[in-house]
Amino acid sequence: MKEDALRRGTKIIEDPDQNSTDFTKCVKFLREKVFPRLRRPSNILCLGGLGGRVDQGLSQLHHLYMEQRDSHYNNGRVYLLSTEAITFVLKKGRHRIRVHDPNAAILGKHIGIIPLREPSIITTKGLEWDVTDWPTEFGGQISTSNHVREDVVEIATTGDVLFTVELNFPAGNHEHPEFRRELTPVISMEDGTVFSTKSNRYSY
């Protein structure tokens, strides 16, 4: 595999650190070596971000959170993308997320809002089962398999949460040209928005 990559002109960078994962090494390289040349925050889209072994999936979610500890996304956002869903972190605050777009039929109806580091209290608008001042935590209650009802979903949270939305696309088609075309209106890597997401401070 290494020889084939070299024949294709791929640059191989050795990193002997055994205390970090391939994912965190890639993020570190992008933020330290690539993004400074762009002179602005840039988002990271991780293809095949979830799936496989449970421990690896949990590790990806852990690092997804750890790479976005800044409350205002000053270092850009990180998205985990599979053929089943797109998953990202919502920081403490209010968010408006466009989950229906006529140019992005790939967006599905199932969403989840999962607490991360600590318990949170969430309020939602635009879902089939909206909640108001709803406590969520592991060991308590979490919001899974909810349904999108409006074009724009509003979420207010007192703590950082994971947001995941289903994608309607056949499995194994990351290379299909329609995947790229339909994904373009979903994520804009130029202006740093995902589904027109905007956030501000929110607290009780």
Side-chain angles (χ1 to χ4, degrees):
M1 182 178 296
K2 180 177 180 179
E3 289 72 19
D4 183 61
L6 289 172
R7 281 196 300 270
R8 295 171 180 268
T10 302
K11 183 179 180 180
I12 297 178
I13 301 171
E14 300 288 345
D15 187 339
D17 183 7
Q18 295 299 307
N19 294 317
S20 61
T21 66
D22 293 341
F23 176 69
T24 56
K25 289 176 182 177
C26 288
V27 172
K28 178 182 177 181
F29 175 78
L30 288 172
R31 287 182 169 168
E32 292 184 357
K33 305 297 184 182
V34 178
F35 292 165
R37 298 199 298 267
L38 303 178
R39 298 182 180 180
R40 60 179 174 81
S42 297
N43 298 329
I44 296 173
L45 178 63
C46 179
L47 297 180
L50 290 173
R53 286 184 4 222
V54 172
D55 60 330
Q56 289 182 332
L58 291 173
S59 175
Q60 289 293 78
L61 296 178
H62 166 72
H63 291 299
L64 176 67
Y65 173 70
M66 293 297 288
E67 296 295 342
Q68 296 176 106
R69 285 175 288 182
D70 173 37
S71 60
H72 298 291
Y73 305 99
N74 289 329
N75 291 321
R77 297 174 183 263
V78 181
Y79 307 107
L80 299 183
L81 177 68
S82 69
T83 49
E84 292 79 29
I86 183 166
T87 304
F88 51 96
V89 173
L90 296 181
K91 307 297 289 186
K92 172 183 176 180
R94 296 180 184 271
H95 304 264
R96 286 174 51 84
I97 307 168
R98 179 166 295 281
V99 289
H100 275 166
D101 190 316
N103 296 314
I106 194 174
L107 292 172
K109 73 173 184 177
H110 293 95
I111 70 103
I113 306 169
I114 313 298
L116 287 170
R117 181 171 176 266
E118 58 196 358
S120 298
I121 299 175
I122 62 174
T123 296
T124 68
K125 182 179 179 182
L127 301 177
E128 184 169 346
W129 297 287
D130 278 326
V131 296
T132 301
D133 295 341
W134 195 73
T136 178
E137 65 177 315
F138 279 99
Q141 53 191 1
I142 60 175
S143 176
T144 62
S145 301
N146 209 330
H147 296 165
V148 170
R149 181 170 52 84
E150 304 289 345
D151 291 349
V152 176
V153 170
E154 299 181 16
I155 300 172
T157 174
T158 62
D160 300 342
V161 295
L162 193 74
F163 183 87
T164 184
V165 60
E166 175 187 28
L167 297 180
N168 291 323
F169 208 81
N173 277 289
H174 280 128
E175 301 300 325
H176 198 288
E178 290 183 5
F179 187 77
R180 179 178 295 180
R181 187 185 70 243
E182 292 207 19
L183 193 62
T184 299
V186 177
I187 298 179
S188 170
M189 303 305 282
E190 269 62 43
D191 61 16
T193 64
V194 55
F195 312 147
S196 302
T197 295
K198 296 181 180 179
S199 64
N200 56 33
R201 297 180 65 184
Y202 174 70
S203 61
Y204 286 90

